[in-house]
Amino acid sequence: MAYAIFKTRGKQYRVQVGDVLSVDRIEGAENDAETTFDQVLLVSDGGQPAVGSPLVQGATVTAKVLEAREHGRKGVAFKFKRRKGFHKKLGFRAALTKIEITAINA
């Protein structure tokens, strides 16, 4: 069971080949395009894992873009100050890209 941990846009993801996940929007990505993540923190091929300090040299994670423009669930940012009558409600939807992991290269 090979897996890897990679970092993109300040977030870390643990993935295996065939996993489908949503990451923060990848600029310039189009549907059915290949993308490569080179900031790999850990790679394991079933034996002893290779841990980088901070990155594993030469390791990459390759993914196929399934949906370039996706929106996440609606989130609400609510601010208020007690006893002052101040409250502000702001909604947002995160811009995401849905990808499928195709290869882990150590």
Side-chain angles (χ1 to χ4, degrees):
M1 173 176 93
Y3 68 92
I5 297 176
F6 72 95
K7 180 172 78 168
T8 179
R9 295 198 173 241
K11 296 181 183 176
Q12 298 176 7
Y13 301 94
R14 181 189 187 275
V15 295
Q16 296 176 337
V17 174
D19 285 353
V20 176
L21 65 144
S22 296
V23 297
D24 286 342
R25 174 141 322 143
I26 300 170
E27 297 299 325
E30 297 179 8
N31 291 349
D32 297 326
E34 289 284 324
T35 185
T36 303
F37 301 100
D38 57 351
Q39 292 187 336
V40 180
L41 305 171
L42 182 139
V43 175
S44 175
D45 58 356
Q48 188 70 14
V51 180
S53 59
L55 302 175
V56 177
Q57 295 296 327
T60 59
V61 174
T62 306
K64 178 183 175 185
V65 177
L66 299 178
E67 191 173 338
R69 305 223 183 276
E70 182 184 47
H71 289 288
R73 291 182 12 203
K74 187 160 197 172
V76 177
F78 184 74
K79 299 179 180 182
F80 81 101
K81 295 184 181 180
R82 63 183 190 161
R83 299 187 305 265
K84 304 296 180 193
F86 170 82
H87 49 272
K88 185 191 308 186
K89 183 178 179 182
L90 177 70
F92 67 93
R93 294 180 71 185
L96 303 173
T97 299
K98 185 182 261 186
I99 60 173
E100 179 181 6
I101 305 301
T102 57
I104 296 172
N105 305 316

